[in-house]
Amino acid sequence: MKQFVRSQSFGAVIGVTVMLIAFTVIDFSGWWNRSTLANVVQFSAILGLVAMGQALVIMTKEIDLSVGSVYGLTGVAFITLEPKLGVPGSTLAALAIAAAIGAFQGLVVVRGKLPSMIVTLAGLFAARGVIYVWTGGTVQNFSEAARNNWLTGLLGGQIFGIEAAIFWMVGLCLVLNVLLWGTRYGNRLLATGGSLDSAESRGVRTDHVKILAFMLCSLLAGFAGILTLADRPQTHVTLGDLMELEAIASAVIGGCLLTGGRGSLVGAVLGAFIIVSFRYELIALGAPSSWFTTFVGIVLIVAVIFNQYLARRAGHSV
Amino acid sequence: MKLISKILAATALAATVLPVTAQAQDGKKLRFVMVSHIGSNDPNMNWLTLALKEFQEKYPDVTTDYISTNNYSVQEHVRLLEQAISTRPDGIAVPIVSSDAFEGPLRRAIESGIPVVAFNIPDGRPDGERIPYVTYVGGDEYLTGEKLGEYAVAEAEAGHVPKPTRVVCASHDAAHEGLKQRCAGMRDAMAKVGAQFDELFIGAEPATARNTLQSYLSSHPDTNYIFTVAGWSAPWAWGVANDMGLDPDVDDKGVTVLTVDEGPVSIEGVRQGHVLATNSQGFWLQGYAPMEWLYWNIKFGYAPQQDILTGPIIIDKDNADHWAELVRGVFGEEAYNQQNTW
């Protein structure tokens, strides 16, 4: 129990618990029904994938502002390349684009010794610009044959009546947790974010660690974009617009500290669940939908204060 | 409306009568700039750039420049406008996205002798207070919503679609005055038959928009009309309602979807029976007519005494085929088919 309380995702678990109690009291029948939960969990899975990638980068004491645009560009590439490459080919090509963006940004950050905020801000604009230029303003349609392709069904359909995105998110969350907590790379990633000098003095190639973290972040964002469009291919050039802010908020609410070296992938997913749930429930309760933005700001501040408090209690210097 | 028709007719007549190869008096080419809020991320830009191209072909003594940005903000638009003014063009066409923000630069331009025509969005203030531009050429956002609403009510009374009980206006930009006006027009039209009305900010991100709209429809089960104020968000609305089993196709039951614009998505939505109606605000004319009024103003001192409305025109199942043909001509067959995302 003591270990659980000291864990990085404890704040997010408390947040989810409080939220669920509040929704149960305020709107029991509206919240606890299949339609609501299916919708919220599906969109939480999509945002959760992006948030997990963001969490990995934040744990290395960096940040990636380009994830929304990478999510959009990868999704657009998946749709646009499909007529020439087919669904499997366009999926691989789109993911390759995402990985290349992540690798490039990581390289520029570590080799150029530039702040990741600036590099990925440039990435945000550049990727969005490519979407505009490439599409000419309109993302093309996804053919009937492509919609019926087996891979499209596996990425965007339903499995046992549950949206495929949820299975993908759970599966990837498990894999990434094993990577983070059960491999040398995970140990090095946390060490890099915790104390760069100390990690380097122990022979950790922090540059490699960071580049791989950026690549994973872009890949996860891109994969989330593909899952979104495989499910609903009707989209627009605004795909992923401002998603980077929700992803960062999810990671921070989920226990990631911007000072690096501490964070939780499960927490990031729970943070995404909190954000999506509140958006849904605020509207269901009749609040103007733009109040959601205010809400995210408030929750973010509360989460940072609470997570810092927990981190200090756990003996981390923040 | 009669007066407007007369003005439009006069415009058309003058266009045919004026000599097509008129040269500027000093032999120098005139240069008009259109500083637009419609960037290349909006397919409607094709209407405007095509209109400018055709204007140049008809008036070879004029060159036109189309200036816009995809990363839109009022500040960015003002910056583009000031840059354009500093190049000393012979005329400017600009949408008055924010009368406060545009007043300073436009008044300075007008005082320095550069004629200005507002297009697409007028200065919404009373006559005496508004920026003294030559004229306004464009649609009326309020009328767009109102006429579509009135059309839906008439169709409901004819028994073709359900009687409106609750209408949601799904908007992707909470701060866009034009979109608010579209919602307001719809609200007023629907109020006449006692329908409840809500304006819902769904955002421009597709997944977020669907999540938001589904939440609204779940908590407001009496909603039976969705009005999307952008054509590209109509398939999202239809998809959400369809997933929820709300029967969103055009028939006498379930949810009915209304949208705007004459883009391929909107027109094909109507043709395929997913959307009851959409509208055209005469985008081509909004590109062409401002250039002609600038030209006539400079050459002959013409200045219309009233705004020139280029829409709305309702597009429904009766005229959608004709519009599809027209739009194919502007966008091209391949682009038209690609942009049909239904």
Side-chain angles (χ1 to χ4, degrees), chain A residues 9 24 31 40 69 79 89 101 117 122 142 148 169 207 211 214 226 230 248 282-283 289 303:
Chain A
S9 58
T24 303
W31 176 257
V40 168
S69 296
I79 295 263
I101 293 171
M117 185 179 282
F142 203 50
N148 295 328
M169 189 277 291
D207 49 352
I211 290 169
F214 275 104
I226 290 172
I248 293 167
L282 281 173
I283 294 159
S289 40

Side-chain angles (χ1 to χ4, degrees), chain B:
Chain B
M1 288 306 282
K2 268 187 177 175
L3 181 59
I4 294 162
S5 304
K6 281 180 187 170
I7 291 169
L8 283 173
T11 306
L13 182 66
T16 54
V17 170
L18 280 172
V20 296
T21 54
Q23 292 292 316
Q25 281 160 356
D26 57 0
K28 190 179 140 231
K29 271 195 165 189
L30 296 172
R31 186 172 66 87
F32 298 157
V33 292
M34 179 169 270
V35 189
S36 176
H37 59 319
I38 299 172
S40 63
N41 58 337
D42 186 335
N44 283 319
M45 191 181 96
N46 290 346
W47 292 100
L48 300 174
T49 51
L50 184 74
L52 295 192
K53 187 168 166 273
E54 290 181 14
F55 173 82
Q56 280 191 165
E57 283 168 9
K58 185 164 181 182
Y59 294 87
D61 56 333
V62 184
T63 58
T64 60
D65 291 327
Y66 186 88
I67 303 168
S68 68
T69 173
N70 283 331
N71 293 316
Y72 186 78
S73 71
V74 172
Q75 290 78 10
E76 178 67 6
H77 199 168
V78 170
R79 191 185 65 77
L80 288 177
L81 178 63
E82 284 179 335
Q83 275 183 357
I85 292 169
S86 70
T87 65
R88 298 295 305 162
D90 296 298
I92 297 171
V94 63
I96 313 297
V97 176
S98 165
S99 45
D100 290 339
F102 284 39
E103 175 137 33
L106 284 181
R107 278 193 187 273
R108 280 195 297 279
I110 292 164
E111 282 163 13
S112 71
I114 303 172
V116 171
V117 169
F119 81 97
N120 195 256
I121 304 171
D123 184 341
R125 297 173 298 184
D127 269 355
E129 295 172 28
R130 75 183 196 179
I131 299 163
Y133 45 65
V134 175
T135 189
Y136 165 70
V137 179
D140 182 308
E141 304 291 11
Y142 177 86
L143 282 179
T144 294
E146 188 183 46
K147 294 295 176 192
L148 279 165
E150 287 173 356
Y151 175 82
V153 169
E155 287 292 292
E157 283 168 355
H160 300 149
V161 286
K163 182 178 180 297
T165 52
R166 180 181 285 275
V167 182
V168 59
C169 182
S171 173
H172 58 275
D173 187 344
H176 192 305
E177 191 55 40
L179 303 185
K180 285 183 185 174
Q181 287 298 314
R182 288 179 187 179
C183 289
M186 178 62 70
R187 180 196 61 215
D188 291 351
M190 292 297 183
K192 290 173 190 165
V193 291
Q196 298 288 308
F197 185 90
D198 283 312
E199 191 174 335
L200 180 71
F201 171 54
I202 59 170
E205 205 290 307
T208 306
R210 286 202 296 268
N211 180 237
T212 304
L213 192 56
Q214 184 161 342
S215 170
Y216 178 86
L217 294 176
S218 296
S219 57
H220 297 85
D222 56 335
T223 306
N224 65 348
Y225 276 79
I226 305 171
F227 176 39
T228 66
V229 294
W232 40 264
S233 55
W236 309 349
W238 184 90
V240 168
N242 194 47
D243 286 349
M244 295 174 73
L246 299 176
D247 186 12
D249 277 336
V250 179
D251 51 28
D252 59 356
K253 56 188 182 298
V255 164
T256 301
V257 178
L258 290 158
T259 193
V260 295
D261 285 349
E262 61 270 62
V265 177
S266 302
I267 290 174
E268 286 306 307
V270 173
R271 294 179 79 204
Q272 293 175 23
H274 300 316
V275 173
L276 174 63
T278 182
N279 83 303
S280 167
Q281 55 168 305
F283 260 119
W284 186 89
L285 270 178
Q286 290 181 28
Y288 193 89
M291 297 294 120
E292 283 211 322
W293 279 109
L294 286 171
Y295 187 85
W296 295 338
N297 182 265
I298 290 167
K299 291 281 184 183
F300 312 109
Y302 285 174
Q305 297 303 303
Q306 193 170 337
D307 289 348
I308 299 167
L309 295 186
T310 54
I313 300 152
I314 301 294
I315 302 172
D316 62 6
K317 61 183 185 312
D318 294 332
N319 59 358
D321 288 348
H322 170 71
W323 273 95
E325 197 180 322
L326 180 67
V327 175
R328 276 197 175 95
V330 174
F331 286 69
E333 183 73 23
E334 190 184 352
Y336 183 95
N337 292 335
Q338 282 181 348
Q339 290 179 24
N340 169 23
T341 56
W342 287 98

Side-chain angles (χ1 to χ4, degrees), chain A residues 110-163:
Chain A
V110 299
R111 297 276 188 258
K113 299 193 187 309
L114 295 170
S116 54
M117 185 179 282
I118 302 302
V119 172
T120 57
L121 182 65
L124 178 156
F125 286 118
R128 185 63 62 189
V130 170
I131 295 174
Y132 292 146
V133 173
W134 193 4
T135 62
T138 308
V139 181
Q140 67 187 55
N141 63 358
F142 203 50
S143 69
E144 204 57 40
R147 292 181 202 206
N148 295 328
N149 185 280
W150 64 271
L151 185 56
T152 308
L154 190 63
L155 294 168
Q158 291 191 336
I159 302 170
F160 306 121
I162 297 170
E163 298 293 339

Side-chain angles (χ1 to χ4, degrees), chain A residues 251-314:
Chain A
V252 171
I253 291 169
C256 287
L257 296 181
L258 295 176
T259 46
R262 186 180 159 89
S264 162
L265 299 174
V266 174
V269 173
L270 292 177
F273 180 61
I274 290 174
I275 285 182
V276 174
S277 300
F278 263 92
R279 176 164 56 221
Y280 195 98
E281 195 58 16
L282 281 173
I283 294 159
L285 293 173
S289 40
S290 34
W291 279 21
F292 165 71
T293 316
T294 309
F295 155 78
V296 172
I298 293 167
V299 170
L300 201 56
I301 291 292
V302 171
V304 168
I305 293 168
F306 190 55
N307 286 331
Q308 287 210 344
Y309 168 75
L310 290 175
R312 283 198 190 96
R313 273 183 62 106

